[in-house]
Amino acid sequence: MIDNKFPKNFLWGAATSSYQVEGNNSFCDWWDWELKEKLEFHSGIACNHYELYKEDFNLAKELGHNCHRFSIEWSRIEKEEGIFDEQELNHYRDVVRALRERNLEPVVTLHHFTNPKWLLEKGGWENPKAVNYFLRYVEKVVAYLTSEVTYWVTINEPMVFVYNSYLLGIWPPQKKSFSHSMRVMKNLIKAHNKAFSLIHKIYKDKLLAKPRVGIAKNTRLFMPCTYKNYLLNKLAARFRDNFFNRIFLDAIKNHSDFIGVNYYTRDIVIVKNLSLNAFWANNCPDSHHNITWRNSLGWEIYPEGILDCLVSLKKYNLPILITENGSCQEKDENYFRFIYEHLKYVKKAIDLGVPVIGYIYWSLMDNFEWDKGFGARFGLVEIDYTSLKRIIRKSAWDFSTICKNNSL
């Protein structure tokens, strides 16, 4: 008989990030960048989750979730350097308490891509002082929420932030420099390691049970194209895997209580020429491989890749929390198909001894998907952006059956 049960006390939930759902984050670097760049879209009021969070948490509870991941917006807490807004701190404490009242375990992210405008003016994460600025903010927030929170994610997808903001230059501050990106990466590593120690010290000084502190690491599967130049493609795939997946984790493995995994897709790597850029960015065209399933952004959906990623992380000997896994689809039924197919491989990983402790879908609701705007809809809950009405997708109810039964 096949055992489809997940481990006892497994975490089931969905995620959001503050800038993408709250609305009116006008003290943030992204806000000014959207206006400056004159994009076709602007985050604006987003989903108005800042005011409607209780309603949204009611939906999560109704859907059988037992945890919820969200982020705190640094630019709300510290609009001006060194000046902390008590009203905003109280707001996020109310958010956490609203989760607790609904028996939803809070998983709190402290940095999810966005920064206060004043930090950008000081050189952003290229400035080594950014580490101390971040620690000052972390100390203030964590001291406020210690009694309410066990799980802390210090930084969301640090290498995505490095890659998009400082290597490709498609996100603010739009730098395109390998040396700058390496500097930012090193500062983010320092920030996590020091924040980890600081958070543990705060809990210890308050005689509280130990917190669980980690990062949310975007983990991509890099596979070599088998069409031609296989050995060169294999070398490039290993190069990318090391840069995107390994360097950061290797540097923080002794300062982590768990690894958060964000998994979406794979890259099939092909090297078109011997330039350094070819090792970074070239992916195989569709004609070489039988790719039959993509989301509405064109990303390949490759569920079995999550098994490979999870097994590769087993060597760190740390609990693994899937902090994001999701898709934007044209048809409602494909959301649940995506979830179910990925969970089959998550269960296989568990059966192989990978210590997975939870699965958090991205996202609880449709949201502002960064430079992609509002068109990419990842939510279990559909948002009517005209009325802000919440509409639970049928796929969300199908997923809720898994959550409530703790079983496929």
Side-chain angles (χ1 to χ4, degrees), residues 142 289 360:
V142 172
H289 295 268
I360 299 176

Side-chain angles (χ1 to χ4, degrees), residues 251-316:
I252 68 165
K253 62 185 177 184
N254 295 323
H255 291 82
S256 297
D257 298 309
F258 69 92
I259 297 172
V261 169
N262 294 1
Y263 175 80
Y264 288 93
T265 188
R266 70 169 172 172
D267 285 356
I268 301 176
V269 178
I270 189 169
V271 178
K272 295 181 179 178
N273 55 60
L274 294 180
S275 70
L276 180 61
N277 187 59
F279 271 70
W280 284 116
N282 290 334
N283 291 329
C284 177
D286 292 353
S287 57
H288 293 175
H289 295 268
N290 185 28
I291 298 173
T292 59
W293 192 11
R294 294 182 180 274
N295 70 14
S296 61
L297 288 174
W299 304 351
E300 182 191 3
I301 298 173
Y302 187 69
E304 50 263 59
I306 199 170
L307 173 61
D308 294 330
C309 289
L310 291 172
V311 169
S312 74
L313 296 174
K314 189 177 177 182
K315 67 177 184 178
Y316 292 105

Side-chain angles (χ1 to χ4, degrees), residues 28-271:
C28 171
D29 56 352
W30 265 82
W31 186 270
D32 275 8
W33 183 73
E34 290 168 30
L35 296 176
K36 174 186 167 187
E37 292 300 308
K38 298 180 181 179
L39 301 179
E40 297 178 8
F41 39 79
H42 187 259
S43 55
I45 199 170
C47 307
N48 198 22
H49 178 70
Y50 187 85
E51 294 183 357
L52 301 178
Y53 65 91
K54 291 182 180 178
E55 176 183 331
D56 295 332
F57 296 162
N58 285 340
L59 297 178
K61 180 64 178 175
E62 190 175 358
L63 288 170
H65 300 180
N66 61 20
C67 77
H68 179 75
R69 179 182 171 218
F70 76 99
S71 73
I72 291 175
E73 181 59 47
W74 185 358
S75 67
R76 288 190 187 275
I77 299 293
E78 194 178 359
K79 296 180 178 71
E80 300 177 54
E81 183 192 351
I83 301 174
F84 293 96
D85 191 320
E86 296 289 325
Q87 183 175 336
E88 295 292 359
L89 286 164
N90 287 330
H91 168 79
Y92 286 110
R93 184 162 57 188
D94 290 343
V95 168
V96 171
R97 287 176 176 172
L99 289 170
R100 286 289 182 200
E101 288 168 2
R102 291 159 178 79
N103 294 317
L104 294 165
E105 181 74 35
V107 179
V108 183
T109 304
L110 291 161
H111 186 276
H112 198 122
F113 296 149
T114 57
N115 299 287
K117 285 190 284 190
W118 60 262
L119 179 63
L120 201 63
E121 292 165 1
K122 289 179 171 290
W125 282 96
E126 295 173 73
N127 184 347
K129 292 182 179 178
V131 175
N132 290 331
Y133 299 146
F134 180 66
L135 291 173
R136 181 178 60 193
Y137 151 73
V138 169
E139 183 172 25
K140 191 72 174 180
V141 170
V142 172
Y144 242 74
L145 299 178
T146 44
S147 61
E148 311 278 356
V149 176
T150 298
Y151 288 91
W152 294 96
V153 174
T154 56
I155 301 167
N156 178 75
E157 297 186 349
M159 294 309 296
V160 172
F161 176 67
V162 168
Y163 190 68
N164 285 339
S165 295
Y166 292 92
L167 201 58
L168 291 184
I170 60 173
W171 287 1
Q174 290 188 289
K175 299 288 180 73
K176 294 182 180 181
S177 165
F178 181 77
S179 61
H180 285 246
S181 29
M182 290 302 94
R183 192 178 309 144
V184 171
M185 182 184 74
K186 289 176 182 177
N187 286 335
L188 290 171
I189 288 169
K190 287 180 184 176
H192 167 80
N193 286 343
K194 291 188 174 184
F196 173 88
S197 299
L198 174 61
I199 294 170
H200 275 271
K201 182 180 184 301
I202 291 171
Y203 277 71
K204 184 177 180 180
D205 289 347
K206 291 191 173 187
L207 303 177
L208 294 170
K210 287 183 179 181
R212 305 183 84 171
V213 184
I215 64 165
K217 180 72 184 70
N218 180 275
T219 307
R220 291 177 87 102
L221 181 64
F222 296 97
M223 299 178 67
C225 174
T226 56
Y227 176 65
K228 62 180 179 179
N229 297 329
Y230 175 71
L231 292 178
L232 198 56
N233 297 339
K234 187 176 180 181
L235 180 64
R238 286 184 178 178
F239 173 78
R240 291 195 209 176
D241 178 65
N242 185 60
F243 181 77
F244 288 104
N245 293 336
R246 308 294 163 205
I247 290 178
F248 209 98
L249 287 178
D250 287 344
I252 68 165
K253 62 185 177 184
N254 295 323
H255 291 82
S256 297
D257 298 309
F258 69 92
I259 297 172
V261 169
N262 294 1
Y263 175 80
Y264 288 93
T265 188
R266 70 169 172 172
D267 285 356
I268 301 176
V269 178
I270 189 169
V271 178

